[in-house]
Amino acid sequence: MTDEVIKINKLSKEYITDAGTVPVLHEVSLSVKPGEFVAIMGPSGSGKSTFMNILGCLDVASNGQYLLNGRDVNQQSSDELALLRNQVIGFVFQGFNLLPRANLEDNVALPLIYRGLTRAERIMQARVMLEKVGLGKYHHSRPNQISGGQQQRVAIARALVNHPKLLLADEPTGNLDTHTSQEIMQLFSELNNRDGITIVLITHEHDIAAYAHRLVRLADGRVIYDGPVAGDPLVHAAHTGAEV
Amino acid sequence: MLAMLSEAWMAMWANRLRTILTMLGMVIGVGAVILMLAVGQGAQQKVQASIAAMGSNLFIILSGSTTSGGMRMGGGAAPTLTAEDAQSIGELPLVAAVAPSSPGVAQLVYGSSNWSTQVIGTTPSYLTVRNWALAAGMPFTDSDVRSATRVALIGRTVAENLFGDEDPVDRTIRIKNSPYVVLGVLAAKGQSLDGRDQDDTVLVPVTTAQRKLFGSQFAGTVRFIMTQAESAEVMPQVERSITELLRQRHRIRAGADNDFTIRNLTAMANTAADTAKVMSLMLGSIASISLLVGGIGIMNIMLVSVTERTREIGIRMAIGARGQDILLQFLLEAIIISVIGCLIGVLLGVGGAYAVSVITGMTAVVTVSSIITAFAVAAGVGIFFGWYPARKASRLRPIDALRFQ
């Protein structure tokens, strides 16, 4: 099926270090259809961050196939990968990764520069996006003048400004307090429900994963669970407040 | 492109002090190049102006030394050259003009002013040979020479000292108490190569000088003869034929010494010009070194900047910047620094050249070509030294750049 946003077949990744070859991902297969909201969980060292970087075309797999939006990522040149990152994927980081010296408007407009839009068009679209994440009034502030939650909203606005098919989030609430985390997750849910944006996010918190519809659990570089969130005993337990 | 430019500008603005210091290297380099070229060019032009003032392709023939009783006298001691020698030299092929010259010093009087100066007896072709124009009035003619009339052409300095603001043309001055009509005023020529004031002079017909003014004990002789060849290429040939002609006319036996000396003034002047050129080249190359150092400064700072902003590069790449976008951004920064540095350097160099010529009185000539050269070199240095760091930045792998702390 080519209408899947992500189709991964037996993808492996190993790092070559001085101590030898370290396998990180072992024949992982995964398909994500448009409109899905997938949470990836796993303990540290399970390879979830590496997996996310490969999904985001920031890193390349050692083996296996990755079709993004029907295109074989391994066959793309570095310029074509840049284009995919620019137009197909929106990436949200744990550490926000905003440019500190640019104001919010310019931060959000940054991806549009590489699409060759004029400044007026860039600013207009950036303001629309800031409005959408609830920061319409702050477009001339700098990242260090607003709270962490607000910074993450700006980062989400930046990820969305090119209207990507796929939003990837690497522990987007990892640096935020519980209350702010809930707000950010509500924003993700809204984007998924209302706008139909496909979302894949990494988290290690059960209550964050609970916002997703589908859960993929990784351990030691393998998929050990792939199914509805409610079906995962750990998440289910967290949701009902029971100790596991 | 425009967006990249503003991105580059923003980065530079964020590091203002560093940007300015980097620029300073460029400013000093370009300023020094322009200033040094200007000073060198000024020296060269001064020499060239002196050569032009002297007249081009010029020989000066002096009456030679004599030996009397084993004692050798200096050049010009024996009055062997005559106005007739000059005339026959003028008939040689490839000779453009000839002017015999018989100088002396005399006291000039006009009204209540008086002035002592060099009076040169010569022919109208002196003006051609020396490439000398008249500022006012008319030159004397060959018929003045034939009839030895009392007429004179006066130099600018003489005119100023005798007449002040008055118009000297057609006035009568007294030279050694005899009246002479001033026919014209010579155009100002300024200093000669050896620093003499060439405008402090009076020209009278050679016959007048010989018969009426200085009363030479050897009638008809002149001190020297100036000869202009038709071109620089034929000068050696002309020198040979003059030697041959004069030996014939003076009946010098084969093997005997010449009783005259021929000096090639143009060759001497060319040496001076070459010296000026070498000096100009040397100044220019010393200044170029500072430009090179400025360029290395740019490279240094750009390398630091790339390392420091690795994370930013990673962010940009993660949201879709291609390698060439990153390359362009850093290259533009280097180019902006060098171009702005260059602009300021040009201003400083031009200002410096002006200051040098005002303060020291040296001529410093800023040519458009030196500005264009400095600009092109600076832009080139910026691109050359900015290329490597920019390329380094553009080749980072996005994941490595993002993980960089």
Side-chain angles (χ1 to χ4, degrees), chain A residues 35-54:
Chain A
E36 279 198 276
F37 189 168
V38 182
I40 297 178
M41 290 190 78
S44 329
S46 61
K48 58 186 192 304
S49 274
T50 301
F51 189 51
M52 196 56 150
N53 288 332
I54 292 172

Side-chain angles (χ1 to χ4, degrees), chain A:
Chain A
M1 292 292 283
T2 52
D3 66 339
E4 283 150 329
V5 180
I6 294 172
K7 177 139 182 74
I8 283 172
N9 197 15
K10 293 190 173 170
L11 184 139
S12 300
K13 174 76 183 176
E14 49 209 26
Y15 288 111
I16 296 159
T17 64
D18 296 339
T21 313
V22 181
V24 179
L25 292 174
H26 190 77
E27 295 198 343
V28 173
S29 296
L30 180 75
S31 301
V32 177
K33 293 191 178 65
E36 279 198 276
F37 189 168
V38 182
I40 297 178
M41 290 190 78
S44 329
S46 61
K48 58 186 192 304
S49 274
T50 301
F51 189 51
M52 196 56 150
N53 288 332
I54 292 172
L55 286 183
C57 299
L58 296 170
D59 205 351
V60 284
S62 309
N63 277 302
Q65 198 186 34
Y66 173 21
L67 296 178
L68 173 63
N69 210 18
R71 269 200 272 179
D72 188 345
V73 169
N74 293 340
Q75 304 294 318
Q76 310 290 308
S77 71
S78 66
D79 280 2
E80 286 166 332
L81 288 178
L83 196 71
L84 285 177
R85 288 195 293 269
N86 188 237
Q87 318 252 295
V88 181
I89 303 169
F91 214 110
V92 178
F93 304 89
Q94 179 177 0
F96 320 137
N97 277 346
L98 300 175
L99 295 187
R101 56 165 193 270
N103 65 30
L104 302 191
E105 191 171 270
D106 285 335
N107 260 298
V108 173
L110 203 57
L112 300 173
I113 284 182
Y114 304 111
R115 255 180 68 187
L117 296 187
T118 66
R119 180 161 173 83
E121 288 170 321
R122 296 200 303 265
I123 293 304
M124 204 187 70
Q125 295 195 23
R127 287 198 184 160
V128 169
M129 276 304 151
L130 277 173
E131 201 74 53
K132 193 166 179 169
V133 298
L135 289 169
K137 296 178 289 194
Y138 297 95
H139 53 262
H140 281 136
S141 309
R142 283 177 198 275
N144 59 7
Q145 293 168 326
I146 58 174
S147 72
Q150 287 170 324
Q151 287 187 50
Q152 194 60 296
R153 283 171 185 272
V154 174
I156 292 168
R158 182 180 67 187
L160 293 175
V161 77
N162 260 341
H163 305 288
K165 283 205 149 172
L166 174 63
L167 189 62
L168 298 175
D170 188 354
E171 305 214 25
T173 60
N175 287 7
L176 303 175
D177 61 62
T178 318
H179 178 68
T180 320
S181 295
Q182 302 293 340
E183 282 179 7
I184 292 293
M185 288 319 294
Q186 271 153 20
L187 178 61
F188 275 119
S189 285
E190 209 180 292
L191 290 169
N192 178 249
N193 289 333
R194 196 185 55 201
D195 302 332
I197 297 171
T198 313
I199 299 176
V200 177
L201 71 80
I202 287 183
T203 181
H204 57 265
E205 291 167 80
H206 300 130
D207 51 347
I208 298 299
Y211 283 88
H213 306 138
R214 177 178 162 196
L215 180 80
V216 174
R217 193 171 274 280
L218 288 179
D220 296 327
R222 294 164 204 271
V223 177
I224 56 166
Y225 175 82
D226 183 356
V229 175
D232 182 63
L234 294 172
V235 171
H236 187 70
H239 221 52
T240 52
E243 285 297 318
V244 183

Side-chain angles (χ1 to χ4, degrees), chain B residues 25-339:
Chain B
M26 232 36 220
V27 169
I28 292 172
V30 171
V33 165
I34 287 190
L35 181 60
M36 291 299 127
L37 285 181
V39 169
Q41 194 77 33
Q44 245 173 301
Q45 271 196 14
K46 204 170 169 184
V47 169
Q48 263 151 15
S50 304
I51 294 170
M54 193 180 70
S56 49
N57 311 326
L58 216 56
F59 288 114
I60 184 158
I61 307 161
L62 297 157
S63 27
S65 58
T66 52
T67 311
S68 88
M71 193 151 85
R72 298 183 71 214
M73 314 292 280
T80 52
L81 293 171
T82 63
E84 287 72 39
D85 284 337
Q87 213 174 340
S88 19
I89 289 171
E91 285 156 9
L92 285 172
L94 303 175
V95 169
V98 173
S101 170
S102 171
V105 175
Q107 197 74 17
L108 276 53
V109 178
Y110 175 75
S112 59
S113 324
N114 73 98
W115 185 250
S116 173
T117 189
Q118 176 191 285
V119 179
I120 301 173
T122 187
T123 58
S125 52
Y126 187 83
L127 296 180
T128 320
V129 171
R130 294 289 317 271
N131 193 22
W132 214 338
L134 285 179
M138 309 252 294
F140 54 77
T141 61
D142 287 328
S143 82
D144 287 318
V145 175
R146 275 194 297 278
S147 47
T149 48
R150 291 184 200 267
V151 291
L153 299 173
I154 62 176
R156 166 76 57 196
T157 308
V158 175
E160 276 165 11
N161 281 289
L162 283 184
F163 292 94
D165 293 334
E166 224 178 307
D167 181 9
V169 177
D170 289 337
R171 307 274 166 188
T172 301
I173 55 171
R174 300 182 80 79
I175 305 178
K176 279 196 171 173
N177 281 326
S178 306
Y180 286 77
V181 177
V182 176
L183 288 184
V185 180
L186 295 162
K189 243 183 190 325
Q191 285 187 355
S192 68
L193 274 178
D194 55 9
R196 275 181 303 115
D197 179 4
Q198 299 179 90
D199 298 321
D200 191 4
T201 195
V202 171
L203 303 183
V204 298
V206 62
T207 44
T208 313
Q210 286 169 333
R211 292 175 207 163
K212 297 173 178 169
L213 200 52
F214 301 124
S216 164
Q217 67 265 50
F218 303 100
T221 60
V222 295
R223 187 80 66 79
F224 55 87
I225 299 169
M226 295 185 111
T227 307
Q228 187 172 35
E230 274 176 2
S231 69
E233 288 75 42
V234 301
M235 289 195 75
Q237 207 177 324
V238 170
E239 186 171 348
R240 274 197 301 279
S241 54
I242 292 173
T243 310
E244 212 171 291
L245 176 81
L246 287 180
R247 285 179 74 92
Q248 243 171 45
R249 284 185 59 89
H250 295 179
R251 298 194 183 82
I252 299 168
R253 284 187 306 276
D257 283 347
N258 290 340
D259 61 353
F260 56 90
T261 312
I262 301 178
R263 277 202 219 144
N264 185 335
L265 289 185
T266 305
M268 282 156 56
N270 284 345
T271 311
D274 286 346
T275 311
K277 214 180 216 161
V278 168
M279 185 183 93
S280 160
L281 206 71
M282 206 175 70
L283 288 175
S285 16
I286 292 172
S288 309
I289 293 173
S290 57
L291 196 60
L292 190 75
V293 172
I296 294 171
I298 288 186
M299 179 146 154
N300 191 11
I301 288 301
M302 293 310 294
L303 280 172
V304 170
S305 179
V306 166
T307 309
E308 209 180 61
R309 280 152 66 193
T310 300
R311 205 176 160 77
E312 177 194 323
I313 295 166
I315 296 170
R316 287 175 183 272
M317 283 180 159
I319 59 170
R322 291 164 300 172
Q324 66 194 74
D325 294 320
I326 303 292
L327 181 86
L328 189 65
Q329 185 188 338
F330 280 89
L331 202 54
L332 274 175
E333 270 182 47
I335 292 172
I336 290 172
I337 289 179
S338 52
V339 165

